[in-house]
Amino acid sequence: MDETRGPYHSFGNGSAMRVSAVAYVARSSGDALELAAQSAAVTHNHPKGIEGAQAIALATFLARQGADKDGILRAVTDHTSYDLAFDLDDIRQTYTFDATCQGSVPQTLVAFREGVDFEDTLRRAISIGGDSDTVACMAGAIAGPFHGVPQGINHDVRARLDERLNGVLSLFDQKFIDR
């Protein structure tokens, strides 16, 4: 590991993909935005990288607080430059791999808007193609607290994890979910 390496002015969607945990630590929307910026700035310190992380963290935080979809999406668009005035059907045939925040976070938010439950949201996110695993990850982060994760899916995922990772999830649940 190169200790001298720092942030590299990235606006890649990795900042938004890994940020959802801050929505469980945050005590307010402002706190979620600040923690998201801190999380992103370690590697993705370009303003668009921070914006993407903040969008997902804010949406996830508000979903956890019981906000409705319109309220969640309005808060995100008020805080970001994202234009969500499209449907997935409008982009499905032409959307290509785009690992930037500006090229995948809006699509994530629209998949959440169009999804009727957790699984449907993930299917919609994947259906556009491109960086579908990351888009589905981000969409699932919002849809999980909004719709709830079906027990069967939760069970199947945990069954695939080793003991150490299950232990990490159990500790996280005890500290942040079950409080």
Side-chain angles (χ1 to χ4, degrees):
M1 181 169 155
D2 182 358
E3 295 292 330
T4 62
R5 241 184 117 179
Y8 49 95
H9 212 58
S10 173
F11 48 84
N13 59 18
S15 63
M17 178 186 66
R18 69 168 189 243
V19 76
S20 63
V22 306
Y24 292 83
V25 176
R27 301 283 185 188
S28 67
S29 294
D31 199 19
L33 292 168
E34 178 59 31
L35 290 170
Q38 290 174 18
S39 170
V42 175
T43 54
H44 296 72
N45 62 333
H46 187 283
K48 294 295 183 185
I50 292 170
E51 179 182 49
Q54 288 181 321
I56 298 301
L58 180 60
T60 304
F61 178 81
L62 293 173
R64 292 194 67 235
Q65 300 304 308
D68 64 16
K69 282 188 182 184
D70 288 340
I72 292 168
L73 296 170
R74 186 172 37 264
V76 170
T77 57
D78 286 350
H79 183 76
T80 68
S81 63
Y82 297 144
D83 178 4
L84 306 181
F86 65 91
D87 296 323
L88 295 181
D89 284 343
D90 297 337
I91 66 167
R92 195 169 279 114
Q93 296 304 312
T94 58
Y95 185 70
T96 59
F97 188 94
D98 190 334
T100 67
C101 282
Q102 56 272 35
S104 60
V105 173
Q107 293 75 8
T108 294
L109 295 163
V110 171
F112 166 68
R113 182 185 72 214
E114 292 182 10
V116 298
D117 59 28
F118 179 79
E119 186 174 350
D120 184 57
T121 300
L122 295 183
R123 289 179 183 278
R124 288 174 185 273
I126 292 166
S127 76
I128 64 171
D131 194 5
S132 59
D133 60 329
T134 302
V135 175
C137 173
M138 295 184 291
I142 306 164
F146 188 84
H147 294 292
V149 178
Q151 279 299 93
I153 291 174
N154 189 44
H155 178 269
D156 290 349
V157 168
R158 292 221 179 200
R160 289 175 169 82
L161 300 178
D162 64 25
E163 186 176 330
R164 184 186 68 78
L165 288 176
N166 270 305
V168 169
L169 285 177
S170 292
L171 288 173
F172 186 86
D173 286 349
Q174 289 171 14
K175 184 160 178 105
F176 299 109
I177 307 293
D178 303 331
R179 54 175 153 161

